[in-house]
């Protein structure tokens, strides 16, 4: 697939959605909370391995 074809398919997919706000089953609070948890977990793991302070 070329870049132009990929861009066209993404534009048509976005136009076909027909409603704002994304998928109905995804709660922004759950998504944000999950992302925050993953980032905090990665921060904790990074600080555990960084022992040369």
């Amino acid at each position: 697939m070329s870049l132009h074809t990929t861009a066209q398919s993404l534009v048509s997919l976005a136009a076909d959605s027909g409603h704002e706000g994304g998928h109905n089953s995804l709660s922004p609070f759950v998504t944000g909370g999950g992302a925050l948890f993953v980032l905090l977990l990665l921060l904790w793991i990074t600080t555990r391995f960084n022992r040369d302070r």
Side-chain angles (χ1 to χ4, degrees):
M1 253 169 116
S2 70
L3 183 61
H4 187 276
T5 308
T6 306
Q8 277 184 332
S9 63
L10 287 175
V11 167
S12 66
L13 183 66
D16 289 341
S17 65
H19 63 279
E20 295 181 22
H23 200 272
N24 289 335
S25 68
L26 292 177
S27 169
F29 295 108
V30 173
T31 305
L36 179 65
F37 174 75
V38 168
L39 289 173
L40 288 174
L41 180 66
L42 288 173
L43 179 65
W44 181 80
I45 291 171
T46 303
T47 56
R48 295 304 109 202
F49 282 111
N50 189 12
R51 292 290 181 182
D52 42 323
R53 291 182 259 157

